Amino acid sequence: MKYTILVTGPCYGTQNSISSFLFSKNLILKKHKIKSIFFYSDGVYNSNIMNFSNYNEINLLKCWKKLSNKFNINLKICIGSSLKRGILTKDFAIEKGINFVNIDSSFKISSFSELAKDIISSERIVQF
């Protein structure tokens, strides 16, 4: 079965992100396919390279990157949500004269139209 995952919670402070990561990992173990993982609203904080976890906590950024690289899963973040929350793309930073980009390179900027296409080509969408 083919899934699209929608993550709306930040990487820390709620269960949304860890639950979506564990669910996605288990889908793969059960031989399902993940079309994409789309981060929306506060979910875009998962892409921020400035997130640091304590030594005894799970580092969700590393987990998402490893999942994406190992299983060729697209990690997409909503452009509108990211800019509203200070998650800067390279193009936006250049345009505004800012010398700092804080989106991890494993995540790709996306839009609702791409999310809609992924949903149409999936059999299930699961939101966290």
Side-chain angles (χ1 to χ4, degrees):
M1 195 168 287
K2 200 181 304 181
Y3 287 79
T4 294
I5 308 296
L6 179 62
V7 182
T8 60
C11 44
Y12 301 106
T14 69
Q15 289 296 116
N16 298 57
S17 292
I18 188 68
S19 295
S20 59
F21 170 74
L22 294 172
F23 180 79
S24 299
K25 188 175 169 183
N26 280 305
L27 283 178
I28 292 166
L29 293 175
K30 299 285 184 183
K31 305 297 183 202
H32 295 287
K33 177 153 175 49
I34 298 175
K35 178 74 175 166
S36 67
I37 301 173
F38 190 87
F39 298 86
Y40 174 66
S41 189
D42 285 346
V44 300
Y45 287 124
N46 285 273
S47 69
N48 189 346
I49 61 172
M50 299 302 290
N51 286 324
F52 299 101
S53 58
N54 290 330
Y55 73 94
N56 61 344
E57 294 177 336
I58 189 168
N59 184 322
L60 275 172
L61 178 59
K62 285 183 182 179
C63 291
W64 286 122
K65 289 171 61 167
K66 185 176 177 181
L67 188 77
S68 173
N69 292 334
K70 188 172 182 179
F71 299 105
N72 196 29
I73 297 171
N74 294 315
L75 303 176
K76 300 178 179 181
I77 62 170
C78 175
I79 183 67
S81 293
S82 63
L83 294 178
K84 288 177 186 174
R85 289 163 176 81
I87 310 296
L88 303 179
T89 65
K90 184 177 180 181
D91 293 337
F92 186 79
I94 291 170
E95 178 184 318
K96 299 297 181 185
I98 300 169
N99 294 332
F100 184 78
V101 175
N102 58 344
I103 291 178
D104 186 87
S105 60
S106 297
F107 293 78
K108 305 300 176 221
I109 295 299
S110 190
S111 65
F112 279 125
S113 61
E114 285 187 50
L115 174 61
K117 288 177 188 175
D118 289 346
I119 291 170
I120 289 169
S121 63
S122 297
E123 296 165 296
R124 299 278 189 273
I125 178 168
V126 181
Q127 178 180 345
F128 292 88

